[in-house]
Amino acid sequence: MPSMFTNSKELHINGGQFVVSSNKVEVHSQNGLDLLLKRSTLAARLDSKERNDPARCHPNTRAAVIREIMDWIRSEDPSPSMMWMRGPAGAGKTALAQSIGELCQKEEDLAASFFFSRTAVSSDQSDGGTLIPTIAYQLAFSYPEAKILIRRRIEKDPSVLELSNRTVMEKLLIEPFNSWLTVILCWITATFLFRWMGWFQPRLIVIDGLDECRGEETQCELLKVIGSTIQLLPRPFRILITSRPESHIQRTFGHEEIFRTINLKQLDLGVLNAEQDIRLFFSDKFEEIRKKHRLGPYLPLTWPPKEAVERLVQKASGQFIYASTVMKYLESPRHQPTSRLDIILGISPTPDQDTPFAQLDALYTFIFSSVDDFQTVRRIFGVLIVPRAEDDDLGDFTTPAMIEKLLCLNLGHVELVLDEFLSLVHLGAHDEPIKLHHASVADFLLNRSRSGDFYMDLGVVHEDLARGYMRLIRDEELNGRIQQPQSYVSPFSTIATGPLLPITCEMIWKTSVLSLYTNVLISGPLD
């Protein structure tokens, strides 16, 4: 049988199937949408079965935030816009994105969604290369008038799916939505007035957890691609992007020129007080335990005590992941809720093999394991989490400037190191105290069974601080900045040239001499 390509020249084949029957060759080209589907990650969609029982906002919580976002989505502004909702780790960003998406889905206002996840079974949920194909696939069905153009574009050249994110965005979204054929199809289907004018059309695109996309460079590139093309979309799309306030993402939004020209809104969950919402969450969940737990009828009427609930609220520090982790632990049908609450509050010891904060510990472990120089991180966080007495007279040593002096670090090094931990801490000016977003960070780091390799020994932390103060005080003495009474002999003069190891933190912390020196020091030039 002769070859089907006899005497052919410059032959190019893209996709399709060849069927040889007798002397007849039939060519069946693949459907463009099927090819697009293969490059998509539908497991990352809002309603994917792989995202079984996703986190969502508890009823009657986050009402003000949800209202603000929904008002932005429903606004009559005909131009597309973007919102960056950022917040510390565990602040409930994904739950908000899920709840917003479900509201819009119910109102047929959800156009597309993608929920990044580094812990999902499918590794594609952290692959930034599948984001735009997945969004394009969903938009093809949200906007039937654009579907035929998206399909034909891929069938014409399937290799378009191998190109850069920017090119895929241009070929599969910008060109189809700006084509006059789309306008004609709108007229034919009698949807022109409704869709082209922005009435009753799906408009929300949710991209959740951008910081969980693999690779910081990929995260920034996707932001720039979306930012540079959003204004070219002739629809009032609302693109909601959520992430932690990672420094590279902040720099992209803050320094890229494109984000100064587009319609960009920002919502910082870190500055919003979620205390009342968390209190309501605890109250409802405890009531649920009383009604549904098999031991509910036997629980004391005064359980849980109000002061216990308030301690939980304070421990949460606005962190919904803390609150949900605690309640999942207490809801276990095989355990006593009262006993488990005592464990959470530290009244009773944690039984062996028990992991009440497993979800929270996994989050913190991931964050701390992402750094190269953990020894420096350990020293800095040690200063931030060390317990303080109200009358310790040691001043505020949690500013970057003071930490650098105490730990002998180069100028600016504290901000450089903590740049990777903006989901856990708030950095202000160089002379402003660093603030931990969550009280539970200290609980994690100070508990060896929870933090493992990241455990911080308070004795070592105190010694580090004591050495730092001694060094500063000795420097002040040598520079003549501390005026001593004539009858007073410096306790450091006999060890100025010797090792400091014999001087323990307990000895230093309990002497009024150190208190006297540090009072002078803190109020002096080093303040």
Side-chain angles (χ1 to χ4, degrees):
M1 184 180 71
S3 168
M4 68 176 73
F5 302 123
T6 302
N7 298 324
S8 60
K9 294 181 179 180
E10 298 184 10
L11 181 64
H12 298 276
I13 301 175
N14 289 302
Q17 294 178 324
F18 294 88
V19 180
V20 181
S21 177
S22 299
N23 294 323
K24 184 178 179 182
V25 177
E26 298 177 5
V27 180
H28 301 280
S29 59
Q30 287 184 278
N31 184 290
L33 292 179
D34 290 339
L35 293 174
L36 183 59
L37 176 60
K38 291 179 180 178
R39 295 304 179 95
S40 302
T41 304
L42 297 191
R45 280 178 41 158
L46 174 94
D47 51 2
S48 163
K49 66 179 181 180
E50 280 82 357
R51 299 185 64 246
N52 183 40
D53 192 23
R56 52 177 61 85
C57 294
H58 186 71
N60 302 316
T61 64
R62 313 313 293 265
V65 179
I66 292 174
R67 183 166 54 251
E68 180 178 348
I69 297 174
M70 292 303 295
D71 287 346
W72 165 69
I73 294 170
R74 295 165 176 161
S75 70
E76 297 181 359
D77 185 351
S79 62
S81 65
M82 178 190 298
M83 176 183 285
W84 178 34
M85 180 173 69
R86 64 184 183 273
K93 300 178 293 296
T94 295
L96 272 166
Q98 181 75 25
S99 295
I100 293 291
E102 290 177 349
L103 278 174
C104 289
Q105 188 177 55
K106 188 179 297 184
E107 299 175 3
E108 298 185 352
D109 231 356
L110 180 66
S113 59
F114 196 105
F115 285 72
F116 282 105
S117 174
R118 67 175 183 277
T119 59
V121 175
S122 169
S123 61
D124 289 344
Q125 276 187 252
S126 60
D127 182 2
T130 68
L131 171 64
I132 294 175
T134 305
I135 296 297
Y137 184 82
Q138 294 175 77
L139 291 181
F141 290 90
S142 295
Y143 289 82
E145 65 273 18
K147 178 195 284 189
I148 186 172
L149 294 178
I150 295 174
R151 177 175 60 80
R152 286 176 58 185
R153 184 66 185 82
I154 298 172
E155 290 172 354
K156 181 180 178 181
D157 180 13
S159 68
V160 69
L161 296 173
E162 305 290 343
L163 303 180
S164 67
N165 284 322
R166 185 177 297 276
T167 303
V168 174
M169 177 75 107
E170 178 184 338
K171 300 299 183 184
L172 299 189
L173 292 179
I174 304 303
E175 290 181 5
F177 277 95
N178 282 282
S179 170
W180 278 104
L181 182 56
T182 302
V183 181
I184 294 171
L185 289 173
C186 281
W187 278 107
I188 293 174
T189 58
T191 60
F192 178 81
L193 290 177
F194 296 102
R195 295 190 180 278
W196 199 262
M197 300 303 292
W199 299 337
F200 308 113
Q201 65 176 18
R203 55 170 58 185
L204 177 64
I205 298 175
V206 178
I207 302 173
D208 176 69
L210 181 64
D211 55 286
E212 299 206 15
C213 167
R214 285 198 302 270
E216 293 182 3
E217 290 184 4
T218 302
Q219 297 169 24
C220 297
E221 185 217 355
L222 287 172
L223 276 181
K224 288 184 279 189
V225 167
I226 296 170
S228 61
T229 57
I230 184 174
Q231 296 296 77
L232 301 177
L233 292 171
R235 297 291 196 282
F237 283 117
R238 303 290 184 259
I239 302 180
L240 174 63
I241 297 177
T242 78
S243 78
R244 297 174 193 158
E246 304 292 3
S247 58
H248 59 280
I249 296 178
Q250 291 196 53
R251 282 193 294 270
T252 301
F253 275 116
H255 298 159
E256 290 294 327
E257 184 64 29
I258 184 62
F259 293 110
R260 297 189 180 94
T261 61
I262 68 171
N263 189 350
L264 172 67
K265 299 182 182 299
Q266 299 193 32
L267 180 60
D268 186 357
L269 298 181
V271 301
L272 301 178
N273 189 348
E275 189 174 283
Q276 187 55 41
D277 285 337
I278 288 178
R279 186 177 288 107
L280 174 62
F281 172 82
F282 277 128
S283 177
D284 288 352
K285 284 295 185 179
F286 276 120
E287 186 62 29
E288 195 174 298
I289 288 176
R290 187 176 293 280
K291 290 179 179 178
K292 296 182 178 181
H293 199 282
R294 66 182 64 182
L295 298 180
Y298 308 106
L299 293 172
L301 294 177
T302 56
W303 187 88
K306 288 183 179 180
E307 56 271 21
V309 175
E310 284 306 306
R311 279 187 63 186
L312 293 176
V313 172
Q314 295 305 313
K315 277 285 188 183
S317 306
Q319 190 184 31
F320 272 90
I321 190 174
Y322 176 89
S324 62
T325 299
V326 165
M327 294 315 301
K328 284 178 182 177
Y329 181 70
L330 298 183
E331 288 167 350
S332 171
R334 299 182 295 107
H335 298 87
Q336 285 269 3
T338 51
S339 300
R340 290 207 144 190
L341 180 59
D342 288 344
I343 292 171
I344 290 291
L345 296 174
I347 298 172
S348 300
T350 304
D352 292 341
Q353 309 304 319
D354 206 356
T355 55
F357 299 103
Q359 186 180 5
L360 197 59
D361 294 348
L363 173 64
Y364 289 152
T365 297
F366 172 78
I367 293 173
F368 282 105
S369 63
S370 65
V371 298
D372 297 325
D373 182 14
F374 183 69
Q375 291 310 312
T376 302
V377 171
R378 187 196 302 274
R379 297 181 71 204
I380 294 173
F381 267 88
V383 174
L384 298 178
I385 68 173
V386 65
R388 296 285 300 271
E390 292 183 5
D391 57 349
D392 62 14
D393 291 332
L394 293 176
D396 195 345
F397 52 66
T398 61
T399 67
M402 195 61 177
I403 292 175
E404 286 163 0
K405 291 175 181 177
L406 287 171
L407 303 184
C408 284
L409 301 174
N410 293 331
L411 189 65
H413 195 63
V414 169
E415 286 100 332
L416 187 64
V417 170
L418 294 183
D419 197 51
E420 298 184 67
F421 294 94
L422 297 182
S423 60
L424 299 182
V425 303
H426 171 75
L427 278 174
H430 194 61
D431 58 353
E432 289 182 9
I434 301 166
K435 297 178 181 178
L436 286 172
H437 287 307
H438 313 304
S440 58
V441 174
D443 294 338
F444 169 77
L445 293 173
L446 296 176
N447 188 318
R448 190 189 297 273
S449 64
R450 291 177 58 188
S451 54
D453 292 340
F454 307 115
Y455 170 70
M456 295 188 181
D457 188 325
L458 270 183
V460 175
V461 174
H462 279 301
E463 184 177 338
D464 218 5
L465 276 174
R467 288 174 180 273
Y469 269 111
M470 290 171 65
R471 195 163 38 243
L472 286 178
I473 295 169
R474 192 167 60 243
D475 289 345
E476 291 298 290
E477 283 186 296
L478 294 175
N479 292 327
R481 293 175 184 167
I482 296 181
Q483 300 298 321
Q484 303 174 19
Q486 290 185 351
S487 61
Y488 188 77
V489 178
S490 168
F492 305 117
S493 58
T494 58
I495 61 170
T497 58
L500 301 181
L501 201 57
I503 307 299
T504 66
C505 60
E506 184 177 2
M507 291 168 59
I508 295 175
W509 241 246
K510 289 186 176 180
T511 58
S512 59
V513 173
L514 181 63
S515 179
L516 168 67
Y517 267 72
T518 50
N519 272 324
V520 177
L521 178 64
I522 297 301
S523 61
L526 289 179
D527 195 12

